[in-house]
Amino acid sequence: MTDVLSKRPATGSPEHGGPRPASGRRSFRLPRWNYPAGFASLIWLLVVGVPLYALVTSTLRTRDDYLDSGALSVPGDPTLDNYRKVFESDFLTYLANTAIVTVATAAIVVVLAVTIGYTVVRTRSRMSNRIFQVFLLGLAIPAQAVIIPVYLIITKMHLYDSLLAIILPTAAFTLPVSVVILAGTMRDIDEEMYESMALDGANSLRILRQLVVPLSRSGISTVIVYASLQAWNNFLFPLILTQSPETRVLTLGLYDFVGQFRVDIPALLAAVVLSIVPIFVVYLFARRQLVSGLMGVGGK
Amino acid sequence: MPASATPGTTVKEPPTGAVRARPSRASSGAGRPGLGWAVPGLLFFTLFAIIPMLLVVALSFTSWQGLGLPEWTGGANWSRLWEDPEMRQAIWLSVLLTGLSWLFQTPVALLLGVWAAGTQRNRAVLSAIFFLPLLASSVALALLWKSLLDPNFGLIADIGPYIGFPDGNLLGDPQGAFAAVLFVASWQFIPFHTLLYQGGARQIPKSLYDAAYVDGAGTVRQFFSVTLPQLKNTVITSSVLMVVGALTFFDTVLILTEGGPGTDTTIVPFLMYTTGFDAFDMGYASAIATILVAIATGVSLLLVRLTGFSAMRSTREGM
């Protein structure tokens, strides 16, 4: 056993066998191994994995096969028919609407959160602290609780039943977390770098462009991922602020499919799968960013 | 880095880059953005979040059908709310759901997060699967679970007999439906909190574990003596987000149980939705919503107090 460290026991399996090799060399990079957590992770794998397995396999079966053999059986004769059915509905319109809403929301949130974060971190005044506290308070304003006034405002702005009606409130309710994330990232930029740039005569716009934005890239990516997730998955705002088929987004479309595919569960689940795939692809690339950015929220 | 930037005033900053609050006169004001930078964002946020929060309180004193103008009715909604047994039940169910969610989600998320912050190899692949529920909408997940809990064709038809539902009709039973909402919501949100704990656990300095190891602490002891105290802030943040997040179980309830059977899963946000947008009793719904705002704001103030977020310290300070 040359390198003990790279051969840690697999999840949850305690090391069997004889006494361990003399452990003098490992004393300072001890494995932070945690058996209860390892065990929990295995259980959780089952709890998450089984429903997802059922989800995917169900979509590969015909309706009759599904009704006959239940959710967990292995499809004998896989078919993509369900996905065809979904694409023959208005699914692509919903997808396009959701994409527009997502991109627009993320764009608005990034621009506003960056400028707010920059002000909060770099302006040394009581007011900037107050601004930050407004957004901390905003963390806890539930969209559910204010939906009636939002509906009133959107109607008064003559935006009801437009994509903007979804985009604007969604962006507003994504701002607090985004500001907290970005303020956390920007605070870690070395103070002396600002000062030396200022000494070179850079104004605040230039400092923002050439120092703050490049050095906050990880926070900005996190905000983009977070805002996109919020926009992509939002249900309440579309449900209440839009009406016609032309403005329908994916989540609302899924909800409608319940009626449309009433007894055709495999087709319904195929729509569910298709609604998850695009965001999952984005996530696979941005996972690291999301994790590192959320440290600022969850950490010290 | 030119140490001469502010000659005579600086002792060189420690190389950690931790930003400490200095007296403002120590540094020049040059290159600092004015408060004007925050105005667009602030106005935007005020229009769609702050004003609605105040407006919902105002609307709770009116009668309004959603069209036309709200009519001032004084405290009528509130005295009605006070005596409404449905509201009382909804508050109780919400509190119960929130409390049980916390009890159920926190230990699991904590353990998984600490585990995921480690260095084992298969972690990346497993994390991708673990976090899948985080990516899907409540709607998609509620639909998935509704089909799995279908008494005729779902998973529950197979396992129901083993957990006390021989006919598989979990959603038709008051306790069963409540448990289903609790489970589905936890299933969906544990990954998010795991992520928070993972981030928090990664920030714990290795040296603390080395010291604990030298002192002879085993894994379990290390968890309770090092990991858990170091994650205190994360526990607070996550708990607060959980409490506020419990309000978004609305989506799940709407699709999974529609508040039923009867009103046995009618939590406060769902009651508000049906009152406002099914019965078009917006004034009364606003009174219900005001209660939600009050709870959430109270929790938020607690967050600011307990975590010291508002002190604006560097996330890297003290390391």
Side-chain angles (χ1 to χ4, degrees):
Chain A
M1 227 172 168
T2 50
D3 185 358
V4 185
L5 287 176
S6 64
K7 289 188 180 162
R8 293 205 184 107
T11 310
S13 76
E15 273 183 350
H16 294 295
R20 297 174 180 198
S23 60
R25 277 194 300 144
R26 347 184 284 169
S27 61
F28 276 78
R29 282 203 41 213
L30 51 118
R32 283 164 54 185
W33 194 242
N34 190 333
Y35 288 103
F39 184 69
S41 73
L42 268 189
I43 301 277
W44 189 247
L45 184 64
L46 277 179
V47 170
V48 174
V50 171
L52 291 178
Y53 164 82
L55 171 64
V56 174
T57 54
S58 302
T59 64
L60 300 175
R61 301 193 282 188
T62 62
R63 201 185 112 202
D64 293 340
D65 181 23
Y66 181 85
L67 298 187
D68 283 347
S69 45
L72 272 189
S73 63
V74 181
D77 188 15
T79 167
L80 289 176
D81 219 36
N82 297 310
Y83 290 94
R84 189 182 50 77
K85 271 186 224 163
V86 173
F87 279 115
E88 279 169 1
S89 71
D90 289 327
F91 186 82
L92 288 176
T93 313
Y94 306 160
L95 189 69
N97 282 338
T98 300
I100 293 170
V101 167
T102 303
V103 171
T105 303
I108 293 174
V109 168
V110 164
V111 171
L112 295 181
V114 164
T115 48
I116 295 166
Y118 183 40
T119 316
V120 163
V121 173
R122 287 292 298 159
T123 312
R124 288 275 160 71
S125 75
R126 213 171 276 276
M127 265 315 280
S128 71
N129 224 334
R130 286 272 176 280
I131 294 174
F132 190 58
Q133 281 169 344
V134 166
F135 285 97
L136 283 176
L137 176 78
L139 275 181
I141 302 178
Q144 265 81 6
V146 296
I147 188 66
I148 292 170
V150 167
Y151 168 78
L152 177 65
I153 291 172
I154 287 290
T155 314
K156 291 279 177 237
M157 289 171 81
H158 300 288
L159 289 175
Y160 181 76
D161 203 20
S162 69
L163 288 183
L164 264 182
I166 307 172
I167 293 167
L168 298 179
T170 308
F173 280 91
T174 312
L175 263 185
V177 171
S178 306
V179 167
V180 171
I181 291 173
L182 278 177
T185 317
M186 289 176 181
R187 234 168 258 153
D188 286 341
I189 298 173
D190 208 318
E191 184 81 359
E192 290 177 17
M193 289 166 104
Y194 290 109
E195 278 168 13
S196 66
M197 271 196 84
L199 208 72
D200 289 344
N203 62 19
S204 43
L205 179 63
R206 213 175 119 208
I207 293 180
L208 177 69
R209 275 213 332 258
Q210 296 187 346
L211 177 72
V212 178
V213 169
L215 286 184
S216 319
R217 207 173 293 144
S218 76
I220 292 175
S221 323
T222 307
V223 167
I224 292 175
V225 174
Y226 174 76
S228 306
L229 263 178
Q230 293 300 310
W232 189 274
N233 289 335
N234 199 341
F235 174 62
L236 186 72
F237 290 136
L239 175 69
I240 289 174
L241 303 173
T242 66
Q243 190 176 32
S244 55
E246 293 80 45
T247 53
R248 199 155 298 163
V249 293
L250 215 45
T251 45
L252 208 50
L254 279 183
Y255 187 48
D256 283 356
F257 278 149
V258 177
Q260 207 170 325
F261 296 133
R262 186 172 297 280
V263 283
D264 197 346
I265 294 178
L268 180 62
L269 292 181
V272 169
V273 170
L274 285 174
S275 79
I276 302 175
V277 166
I279 202 89
F280 184 61
V281 171
V282 173
Y283 168 75
L284 281 184
F285 289 104
R287 190 170 61 85
R288 220 166 274 276
Q289 295 300 346
L290 188 66
V291 174
S292 69
L294 281 174
M295 282 185 189
V297 181
K300 304 192 159 204
Chain B
M1 200 51 50
S4 59
T6 46
T9 57
T10 47
V11 180
K12 232 183 165 192
E13 288 278 338
T16 55
V19 178
R20 299 190 202 287
R22 290 191 226 158
S24 57
R25 61 193 133 82
S27 50
S28 63
R32 294 196 184 280
L35 285 172
W37 282 83
V39 168
L42 212 51
L43 281 181
F44 184 75
F45 187 68
T46 305
L47 177 62
F48 287 106
I50 307 286
I51 291 180
M53 197 169 76
L54 303 175
L55 212 51
V56 81
V57 180
L59 283 174
S60 75
F61 293 99
T62 68
S63 160
W64 184 44
Q65 271 73 52
L67 297 166
L69 289 176
E71 210 175 293
W72 188 262
T73 55
N77 289 324
W78 286 98
S79 47
R80 182 177 151 202
L81 193 75
W82 198 244
E83 283 151 17
D84 187 349
E86 219 177 5
M87 182 66 196
R88 219 167 284 172
Q89 187 198 24
I91 290 181
W92 164 240
L93 289 176
S94 284
V95 169
L96 197 64
L97 192 62
T98 309
L100 289 176
S101 297
W102 187 86
L103 280 179
F104 186 51
Q105 293 185 34
T106 303
V108 179
L110 182 65
L111 281 175
L112 286 175
V114 171
W115 175 82
T119 48
Q120 54 284 0
R121 275 177 188 172
N122 42 9
R123 202 195 54 217
V125 179
L126 288 181
S127 307
I129 302 171
F130 284 172
F131 295 151
L132 247 171
L134 177 74
L135 303 172
S137 57
S138 307
V139 179
L141 294 180
L143 287 176
L144 164 63
W145 280 101
K146 197 171 169 75
S147 75
L148 289 176
L149 295 178
D150 186 291
N152 297 315
F153 317 113
L155 191 57
I156 193 69
D158 299 326
I159 64 168
Y162 301 100
I163 56 171
F165 294 93
D167 54 353
N169 196 5
L170 183 75
L171 291 178
D173 176 84
Q175 270 97 39
F178 187 81
V181 171
L182 178 66
F183 177 80
V184 172
S186 302
W187 192 86
Q188 180 183 0
F189 288 109
I190 282 175
F192 173 75
H193 297 281
T194 300
L195 214 54
L196 290 183
Y197 284 114
Q198 184 184 5
R202 285 239 175 101
Q203 289 185 320
I204 301 174
K206 284 269 184 300
S207 56
L208 292 180
Y209 289 99
D210 292 341
Y213 185 75
V214 170
D215 289 345
T219 321
V220 175
R221 184 72 204 277
Q222 283 179 24
F223 179 79
F224 284 105
S225 306
V226 180
T227 311
L228 211 50
Q230 287 286 312
L231 285 178
K232 193 191 85 189
N233 281 340
T234 317
V235 174
I236 294 170
T237 311
S238 156
S239 305
V240 171
L241 290 177
M242 248 178 226
V243 171
V244 177
L247 301 174
T248 64
F249 295 172
F250 161 77
D251 302 12
T252 311
V253 168
L254 177 65
I255 289 165
L256 201 62
T257 66
E258 292 177 67
T263 54
D264 287 317
T265 55
T266 299
I267 54 175
V268 180
F270 185 80
L271 182 62
M272 185 216 71
Y273 170 79
T274 48
T275 309
F277 295 94
D278 284 348
F280 295 102
D281 194 349
M282 298 280 189
Y284 189 53
S286 295
I288 300 174
T290 303
I291 298 219
L292 286 182
V293 171
I295 296 172
T297 319
V299 171
S300 171
L301 291 176
L302 212 65
L303 161 81
V304 175
R305 275 283 151 74
L306 294 182
T307 59
F309 256 149
S310 60
M312 302 201 5
R313 274 172 312 201
S314 163
T315 49
R316 290 192 295 176
E317 191 166 337
M319 295 198 52

